[in-house]
Amino acid sequence: VQLQASGGGTVQPGGSLTLSCAVSGSFYSIGGTGWYRQVPGKQRELVAMISAAVGTKYADSVKGRFTISRDNTKNWHYLQMNILKPDDTAVYYCYAAIRQFAGGSHVAAWGTGTQVTVSS
């Protein structure tokens, strides 16, 4: 299973970016998917997640600005980021809970990070 994140870049404060994550490979099903971010010297933190069981969940710092969505037919999920702030600068990682076979447990798979820089 491979996850490929894309869409990062440099934007000015107040700008927008959309991150995408493509899940490929052989697996039975995908459970929850989401995005984490990390800055140097700090722990990776949850930004947003989406699942059939939970719905959507966001970090308090991004509520009202970020929107997570997924396309189950294409195994893609997205993070629409609006009103970006310098504090949003980080490497963003996508993840997906993968079930390799029927009846198996979900195991987290991680994508490569994509850099988001918010700076004037």
Side-chain angles (χ1 to χ4, degrees):
V1 176
Q2 290 187 325
L3 279 71
Q4 181 65 51
S6 60
T10 299
V11 295
Q12 293 186 338
S16 298
L17 281 174
T18 300
L19 304 184
S20 301
C21 182
V23 183
S24 61
S26 179
F27 51 87
Y28 179 74
S29 66
I30 302 174
T33 57
W35 296 87
Y36 278 70
R37 66 187 180 188
Q38 189 170 25
V39 297
K42 292 189 177 181
Q43 286 189 329
R44 192 173 293 189
E45 65 171 357
L46 174 69
V47 178
M49 64 174 293
I50 184 169
S51 72
V54 175
T56 57
K57 178 180 178 180
Y58 297 92
D60 288 343
S61 59
V62 307
K63 283 180 181 177
R65 300 188 297 121
F66 291 11
T67 302
I68 189 170
S69 61
R70 59 193 277 176
D71 183 338
N72 293 324
T73 64
K74 299 179 180 179
N75 294 328
W76 282 71
H77 55 282
Y78 309 92
L79 185 67
Q80 174 68 45
M81 305 185 294
N82 298 324
I83 318 176
L84 282 161
K85 304 175 180 179
D87 283 350
D88 296 319
T89 296
V91 177
Y92 284 70
Y93 298 90
C94 61
Y95 82 89
I98 302 295
R99 179 176 284 170
Q100 290 284 5
F101 51 87
S105 300
H106 285 104
V107 177
W110 292 90
T112 56
T114 184
Q115 176 71 47
V116 172
T117 302
V118 184
S119 174
S120 56

